[in-house]
Amino acid sequence: MNRTAIATIVERDLTVVARSRAVSLPIVILPLIFFVALPLILVVAVSAVGDDLEDFGELLAIMPEPFRRELVGLDSTAQALVWGLEYLFATFFLLVPLMTSAVIAADSFAGEKERRTLEALVHTPTTDRDLYLGKLLAPWLAAMVVAVGGYVVYVLVVNLFGAPIVGRPIALTPRWLLVVLWLAPGVAALSVGALVHVSARVRGFQEAYQVGGLVVLPLVLLLVGQLTGVLYLDVWVVAALGAIVWALALGTIRLGYRSFRRERLLLQL
Amino acid sequence: MDLLSPTERAVSVEGLVRWFGGRPAVDGLSIEVARGETFGLLGHNGAGKTTTIRLLNGVLSRDAGLVSVLGMDPAIDGEPVRARTGVLTETPSLDERLTARENLAFFGRLYGVTGRRLHDRVRTLLDLFGLKDRADDRVAQFSRGMKQRLALARTLVHEPDMLFLDEPTAALDPVAAREVHELIEAFRREQRRTVILCTHNLVEAERLCDRVAIMRNGRAIAIGSPAELARSIRAPVTVEIEVRPEERERAAGILREGGFGESALSRTGVTFRVEGREAIPEGVAALARAGLAIYRVANTEPDLETVYFALYGAPSPAEGDGRETL
């Protein structure tokens, strides 16, 4: 493995992404929406409604028992904020590294084909493995920076505006740490594995992104499971989900790598 | 084959075949290229030139044939072969969001050039190719000619032993094309690298190549230096002989009577057209035997363009090793 070559590809791809508005704009806007705007809207909305949260009581009734125990002793405003900011947003949070990695990964090979920069790259002495790994690592690292940075911003926002209402820190729990440091990297790896695989096979960024949009579906199912009370994301569930996602991600990456041939890329040019 | 010894040989190809979708893109190609030689692959679009470069550089696999590039088989040693070659692709293949300096540095690192050496190489090449003042501008702001110069600089960033240049002046205006020609001529003259040049530009091939292979349907239908190829076809040769002005008509009569083709008076003597250069000494001897004073003999041989169209106009070559004997 040639680490210099891999690092060079990663550095170049991230520089190119940073200089492309079409790719970098969603990466900047998405975290602002999910980590700043939506939590603030929730805090303001819940605070404005105050104790008049009858419908929320009905929603709470279908939540799993362990979660309801977390809310004992809190008034309905605080309960709503904990439900939203600490529980529901843990899944919303995953959307950001997922979408970030998907946008960049879709651009990896497909974007190079569109920009007609791929041929010189495949004529370099970089091995197929290093080329593939470089293309995988760039979007994954970007997603991790956005995820960890976004988490820090999120913690600051919700604790600055939500914690005074709840009366305790928000999103500073082992569950959140597991989501950020274990589940989110796995989700990003799965998204990258799938999208780079697709990107190497289609002709353009839009096509890759549309096909790759399917990676959001499992997350939607997770959200529905959470909202309906079917799934309770405690530490063990997050850990187990993370393990499953990582296994799927590594399987997808392995499959993509094994079928990756620079010759196939060239024949699509 | 085996016209060159292994130490002289940079590329050896025998019976190379590559199929795409039920059709051969390269069909029994056999060529040898000497170290330090500039060898042209000349042919129409679709003749198999670009596929040949990709096969030689180990980025495509072959269906049949034997290939040796710098003593290695590119199908097995693709990475070591590519580490010693530089490729100018048909499009500049530069990242327009990066600057000229960043593009060169990126490719330099992929070719294993790092640190101080990379810094120096990038600076030298930017200077050499006249891009020093635009080094930190994004390539998107460059003209086509500048992009092509930068792409050429990229092929040299790791000081390769061999260059593949695929249509280096396609889509360039005449001024930019001339600049690129001068750069290629300079580095083939000064650095004596082996160069394989794909082109459909006959003037370019004649100007830059020591030898050319004229390709058709994935085969080399003729191989040789432009002069050898010109001599090999029986195209009319125009010969001008300078004699005393008062003996011009007599000279024309001698040539006409001797059956040397049509002759005409020129400002300084007489011209005649013959089918093949073998007739020239006979014509000159006939004039000398008649006691005419001959001051100068100049002939206009067919150029590569004439050869190219003579061969392309001919029926497809017979099956065999894919080459006509010249």
Side-chain angles (χ1 to χ4, degrees):
Chain A
M1 187 186 298
N2 181 343
R3 288 182 186 171
T4 306
I6 294 171
T8 301
I9 293 168
V10 169
E11 185 191 332
R12 195 280 299 253
D13 279 12
L14 293 179
T15 306
V16 166
V17 163
R19 290 178 187 173
S20 161
R21 281 189 186 173
V23 184
S24 64
L25 217 58
I27 296 168
V28 173
I29 289 174
L30 216 63
L32 283 176
I33 291 171
F34 280 94
F35 299 143
V36 179
L38 284 179
L40 281 178
I41 289 169
L42 189 69
V43 171
V44 171
V46 169
S47 304
V49 175
D51 288 338
D52 192 16
L53 281 164
E54 289 171 11
D55 292 345
F56 180 69
E58 288 172 21
L59 180 68
L60 213 56
I62 62 165
M63 289 292 112
E65 177 58 28
F67 177 65
R68 276 184 281 154
R69 277 204 299 272
E70 289 183 29
L71 305 177
V72 172
L74 298 176
D75 63 26
S76 57
T77 307
Q79 283 181 343
L81 285 181
V82 170
W83 175 79
L85 298 177
E86 195 155 282
Y87 187 64
L88 196 62
F89 263 80
T91 305
F92 272 136
F93 173 86
L94 293 172
L95 270 174
V96 174
L98 179 80
M99 300 296 282
T100 303
S101 55
V103 169
I104 302 174
D107 190 61
S108 59
F109 288 115
E112 295 236 28
K113 285 177 210 166
E114 271 181 353
R115 295 190 294 276
R116 310 189 78 174
T117 54
L118 195 59
E119 188 164 4
L121 186 61
V122 299
H123 274 290
T124 64
T126 320
T127 62
D128 284 2
R129 182 178 62 181
D130 292 346
L131 187 55
Y132 197 73
L133 283 177
K135 289 292 181 187
L136 280 174
L137 269 177
W140 187 80
L141 284 173
M144 287 305 92
V145 169
V146 171
V148 174
Y151 174 65
V152 172
V153 171
Y154 181 74
V155 164
L156 286 173
V157 168
V158 297
N159 283 289
L160 204 60
F161 297 98
I165 300 167
V166 174
R168 65 169 172 82
I170 302 171
L172 286 167
T173 60
R175 174 172 56 209
W176 264 93
L177 288 178
L178 262 180
V179 166
V180 175
L181 301 175
W182 173 239
L183 185 55
V187 165
L190 178 58
S191 155
V192 164
L195 261 296
V196 171
H197 189 67
V198 170
S199 185
R201 280 161 177 73
V202 298
R203 289 186 186 277
F205 167 74
Q206 288 298 339
E207 195 183 343
Y209 194 58
Q210 280 164 11
V211 176
L214 296 171
V215 295
V216 182
L217 279 180
L219 215 57
V220 173
L221 291 176
L222 188 65
L223 203 61
V224 170
Q226 242 188 328
L227 281 169
T228 55
V230 173
L231 190 69
Y232 173 57
L233 284 185
D234 68 4
V235 171
W236 297 109
V237 171
V238 173
L241 268 179
I244 292 167
V245 167
W246 267 112
L248 286 172
L250 294 176
T252 308
I253 289 167
R254 188 177 160 81
L255 186 74
Y257 163 66
R258 287 178 68 145
S259 62
F260 176 76
R261 297 285 176 272
R262 67 180 61 212
E263 175 165 341
R264 191 177 292 174
L265 289 176
L266 262 184
L267 298 181
Q268 291 172 338
L269 296 178
Chain B
M1 295 301 285
D2 290 344
L3 303 172
L4 301 163
S5 72
T7 51
E8 293 172 321
R9 202 184 297 144
V11 172
S12 169
V13 174
E14 198 161 349
L16 181 62
V17 176
R18 170 68 204 219
W19 287 71
F20 288 129
R23 192 184 75 82
V26 175
D27 187 13
L29 179 70
S30 297
I31 53 172
E32 279 196 343
V33 180
R35 288 180 192 266
E37 182 179 20
T38 298
F39 188 87
L41 296 175
L42 186 64
H44 294 327
N45 291 337
K49 308 184 297 289
T50 301
T51 304
T52 301
I53 281 187
R54 290 172 173 179
L55 289 163
L56 295 183
N57 210 31
V59 294
L60 282 185
S61 57
R62 59 182 182 262
D63 292 317
L66 296 172
V67 178
S68 170
V69 175
L70 301 169
M72 296 174 278
D73 183 341
I76 298 165
D77 301 313
E79 286 90 26
V81 166
R82 290 196 291 276
R84 292 177 60 191
T85 63
V87 180
L88 177 71
T89 50
E90 199 170 347
T91 55
S93 207
L94 297 160
D95 206 309
E96 301 209 339
R97 295 175 194 161
L98 299 182
T99 66
R101 193 189 303 280
E102 286 169 339
N103 266 290
L104 290 184
F106 168 66
F107 280 96
R109 280 198 287 270
L110 289 183
Y111 279 100
V113 186
T114 54
R116 188 77 212 165
R117 186 178 160 226
L118 178 65
H119 179 265
D120 291 346
R121 280 300 292 162
V122 169
R123 199 181 52 187
T124 303
L125 288 168
L126 287 168
D127 200 13
L128 184 68
F129 284 80
L131 295 166
K132 192 171 67 175
D133 296 338
R134 304 289 303 274
D136 296 309
D137 289 350
R138 290 195 193 172
V139 172
Q141 300 164 9
F142 284 14
S143 67
R144 275 188 179 170
M146 288 167 72
K147 286 178 189 171
Q148 198 70 345
R149 291 206 315 258
L150 181 60
L152 261 176
R154 182 191 60 208
T155 66
L156 295 169
V157 72
H158 56 301
E159 300 181 82
D161 296 321
M162 190 168 159
L163 294 175
F164 294 111
L165 307 178
D166 192 358
E167 304 284 3
T169 56
L172 293 185
D173 62 55
V175 175
R178 187 173 167 181
E179 281 177 8
V180 170
H181 281 160
E182 283 168 359
L183 285 166
I184 295 170
E185 277 189 318
F187 66 65
R188 70 181 274 261
R189 191 171 54 239
E190 290 158 16
Q191 304 184 12
R192 296 302 298 164
R193 287 192 169 92
T194 307
V195 178
I196 294 190
L197 172 78
C198 286
T199 185
H200 57 245
N201 184 327
L202 300 154
V203 177
E204 185 170 277
E206 194 150 25
R207 177 173 176 177
L208 299 175
C209 297
D210 298 313
R211 289 190 306 142
V212 296
I214 297 179
M215 290 189 70
R216 184 181 192 182
N217 298 331
R219 292 167 169 235
I221 56 172
I223 298 177
S225 69
E228 283 169 350
L229 292 177
R231 284 198 296 271
S232 72
I233 62 161
R234 298 199 64 79
V237 180
T238 303
V239 185
E240 183 175 3
I241 300 175
E242 188 178 340
V243 294
R244 288 192 189 102
E246 62 272 22
E247 290 180 337
R248 288 185 306 161
E249 288 194 14
R250 193 176 151 224
I254 292 167
L255 291 169
R256 202 164 35 245
E257 284 164 19
F260 292 102
E262 58 182 275
S263 60
L265 301 184
S266 70
R267 194 173 57 82
T268 58
V270 62
T271 62
F272 67 104
R273 281 164 66 87
V274 288
E275 296 291 324
R277 65 206 309 272
E278 298 78 14
I280 300 172
E282 293 171 27
V284 173
L287 296 178
R289 275 198 303 274
L292 271 72
I294 297 167
Y295 296 101
R296 184 174 64 89
V297 178
N299 64 322
T300 311
E301 298 227 16
D303 57 10
L304 196 53
E305 185 174 347
T306 313
V307 176
Y308 183 81
F309 287 112
L311 290 168
Y312 257 89
S316 292
E319 296 295 320
D321 69 353
R323 253 193 313 159
E324 283 186 353
T325 306
L326 291 164

